[in-house]
């Protein structure tokens, strides 16, 4: 729920995420996603990250892995399909006259 009593989807857009540039921030979209030492499936797992924010080092959308820095400063690689931009699309809805209505749909900043 946002400050005006409406609903923002996805939920993380309304969170106060500190210490990460929103343009470079990504949310890890699952539980126990491996942060790997190298950009491949056989790379050593440095840690598992669950629904946390990481900072990307430079988006390479055609690559299978992205270089990131975890919230504790650990640097490594996470599979691209396990990341979602903090400023990606979002929908805001408000309850009006007893019904929920879409107020805005932003397709990304």
């Amino acid at each position: 729920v946002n400050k005006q009593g409406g609903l923002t989807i996805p939920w993380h857009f309304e969170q106060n995420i500190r210490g990460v540039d929103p343009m470079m921030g990504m949310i890890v979209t699952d539980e126990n996603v491996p942060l790997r030492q190298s950009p491949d499936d056989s790379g050593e797992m440095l840690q598992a990250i669950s629904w946390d924010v990481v900072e990307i080092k430079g988006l390479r959308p055609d690559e299978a892995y992205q270089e990131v820095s975890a919230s504790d400063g650990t640097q490594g690689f996470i599979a691209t399909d396990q990341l979602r931009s903090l400023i990606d699309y979002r929908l805001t809805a408000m309850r009006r006259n007893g019904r929920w209505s879409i107020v805005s749909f932003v397709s990304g900043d």
Side-chain angles (χ1 to χ4, degrees):
V1 177
N2 63 32
K3 294 176 185 173
Q4 294 79 29
L7 178 67
T8 301
I9 302 169
W11 60 270
H12 66 78
F13 190 77
E14 287 293 330
Q15 306 306 306
N16 186 8
I17 299 171
R18 297 176 188 203
V20 175
D21 176 354
M23 302 302 268
M24 302 304 283
M26 296 279 192
I27 190 161
V28 178
T29 61
D30 205 350
E31 294 183 11
N32 300 313
V33 174
L35 176 67
R36 299 194 180 275
Q37 188 171 14
S38 60
D40 55 66
D41 292 341
S42 62
E44 176 187 344
M45 187 169 94
L46 302 172
Q47 63 181 275
I49 300 177
S50 300
W51 296 102
D52 199 3
V53 175
V54 297
E55 192 163 356
I56 198 164
K57 298 300 176 187
L59 182 62
R60 293 171 185 84
D62 296 331
E63 299 291 326
Y65 280 81
Q66 300 297 315
E67 186 175 6
V68 302
S69 179
S71 59
D72 68 356
T74 304
Q75 295 190 19
F77 297 85
I78 292 182
T80 302
D81 64 357
Q82 297 290 299
L83 298 170
R84 184 183 192 283
S85 173
L86 290 177
I87 58 166
D88 203 347
Y89 69 88
R90 58 199 173 272
L91 178 141
T92 304
M94 295 288 291
R95 192 164 178 84
R96 295 181 180 164
N97 300 321
R99 296 179 57 174
W100 284 96
S101 299
I102 294 174
V103 176
S104 65
F105 180 80
V106 179
S107 61
D109 293 309

